[in-house]
Amino acid sequence: MFVLWAHPSLVGLPLAALLIIAPGGERSSGWTQPIAGLLGVSLALVVLSGGSGSRLAAATSAYIVLMTAAFVSFVLLKPAPILRQAFRSIAAAGLATALLVQAIWGSEAWGALAWEATRQASITMRSIVEVAPDAFPIYEPMVRFVSLTWPGMLALQTLAGLALAWQLYRRVAARTVGESVAPAPARFRDFYMSDGWVWGIVAWLGVLILPASSVLQMAGTNLGLVASALYVLRGAAIVATFAEAFGISALALVIVSAAAAALAVPLLFVLPGLCTLGITDTWYHYRRRLAEARERQRSNTH
């Protein structure tokens, strides 16, 4: 499913790099050829994508390589939760890619990148409209939105790719080394990020309401997109926690989520609701209150 949404090298390249630096000794010697194959395929995909003649593809390929190098460096230098390492890697690779684009192509490259993003979004939406003509009214708004938010979408794809790569790496390392690799990913219902991300939502609302330059509008919109996606996940984690507390099975939640995804109208209400729930958790700490209430209930029964 991931490869239908994002570049496969966002998983393959970090995973191959992590496996190369993994401790293993003789027990991991059997993984030499698979690791080499994974690394070769990932690099080939990056090279082919970057060599397509598109500046946007070339910049994305450079970002993937730089992000992988930054992620592995952070993992080696200082162990930390995977989400924090991913944010650090995205920031470092994004800054390095921006400096590289500026140094090689100059200031006019940013206009070319924006035009290519618009063209790709237009092609994608045109193919969707051909299959589903009812989607034509959202053609232009979606093209504008996708062309404006491709950096934020790339950041979200990177977060998902690194989380998947780290999970696969831990499984392989556990089989070859015989011990788990720290830090372990947190359970989904424990998903949490810094409360400072609420300022990303504030920045997004600011550029929507107040007059702003195109640079500030793009920066605020992309920051808001990433923050909104994180708060949707945080809201979903809260729902999962309360569902478990009240005896609602995970299968029921999956069925409801699939139905909401299949029907666009419910989805338009579910996503803002989850985002709002995640944002308000900044002040109300729903899961902590639930844990305290259950602890008091257990104390009263004893």
Side-chain angles (χ1 to χ4, degrees):
M1 292 297 293
F2 180 83
V3 296
L4 299 177
W5 174 52
H7 200 295
S9 292
L10 287 170
V11 174
L13 204 57
L15 176 58
L18 288 170
L19 291 175
I20 289 174
I21 66 172
E26 296 179 356
R27 283 172 293 181
S28 63
S29 59
W31 289 92
T32 302
Q33 290 183 349
I35 291 172
L38 180 62
L39 182 61
V41 170
S42 300
L43 287 175
L45 290 173
V46 170
V47 171
L48 289 174
S49 177
S52 62
S54 166
R55 287 189 175 185
L56 183 59
T60 302
S61 298
Y63 164 82
I64 293 174
V65 174
L66 292 170
M67 176 273 299
T68 300
F71 182 69
V72 173
S73 299
F74 289 134
V75 168
L76 290 174
L77 290 174
K78 185 178 181 181
I82 180 61
L83 189 62
R84 188 181 307 168
Q85 299 284 44
F87 285 141
R88 291 172 178 172
S89 304
I90 291 170
L95 178 60
T97 304
L99 293 175
L100 192 62
V101 168
Q102 183 68 31
I104 296 177
W105 295 321
S107 300
E108 69 276 3
W110 302 109
L113 292 176
W115 181 84
E116 287 186 20
T118 303
R119 182 174 62 86
Q120 290 185 8
S122 179
I123 293 173
T124 302
M125 284 303 302
R126 192 179 298 119
S127 62
I128 294 175
V129 169
E130 289 176 357
V131 177
D134 293 339
F136 180 76
I138 65 172
Y139 174 84
E140 290 189 7
M142 283 301 297
V143 168
R144 287 196 299 268
F145 179 77
V146 173
S147 62
L148 183 64
T149 58
W150 66 266
M153 188 60 67
L154 181 59
L156 292 176
Q157 291 169 345
T158 304
L159 286 173
L162 290 177
L164 182 57
W166 185 256
Q167 185 65 34
L168 293 173
Y169 163 65
R170 293 188 74 253
R171 291 187 179 184
V172 173
R175 290 184 178 182
T176 56
V177 183
E179 58 186 25
S180 61
V181 178
R187 298 175 303 175
F188 175 71
R189 60 177 178 268
D190 296 330
F191 178 82
Y192 179 83
M193 72 284 189
S194 171
D195 292 337
W197 277 98
V198 72
W199 293 106
I201 304 297
V202 174
W204 194 357
L205 294 176
V207 298
L208 289 176
I209 298 173
L210 303 174
S213 65
S214 58
V215 175
L216 288 177
Q217 185 178 18
M218 185 174 186
T221 302
N222 281 279
L223 182 60
L225 173 66
V226 175
S228 298
L230 293 174
Y231 277 117
V232 167
L233 292 176
R234 186 166 170 173
I238 295 170
V239 171
T241 301
F242 276 80
E244 181 187 32
F246 289 101
I248 302 174
S249 66
L251 179 60
L253 291 179
V254 171
I255 293 174
V256 172
S257 301
L263 303 173
V265 175
L267 192 63
L268 293 177
F269 292 100
V270 171
L271 292 182
L274 291 176
C275 184
T276 303
L277 183 63
I279 293 173
T280 56
D281 187 54
T282 303
W283 298 279
Y284 291 103
H285 304 288
Y286 300 112
R287 286 169 289 186
R288 188 175 68 187
R289 292 190 177 195
L290 175 64
E292 292 173 351
R294 298 181 73 179
E295 183 63 29
R296 287 196 300 268
Q297 184 178 11
R298 282 194 294 265
S299 299
N300 293 334
T301 56
H302 293 294

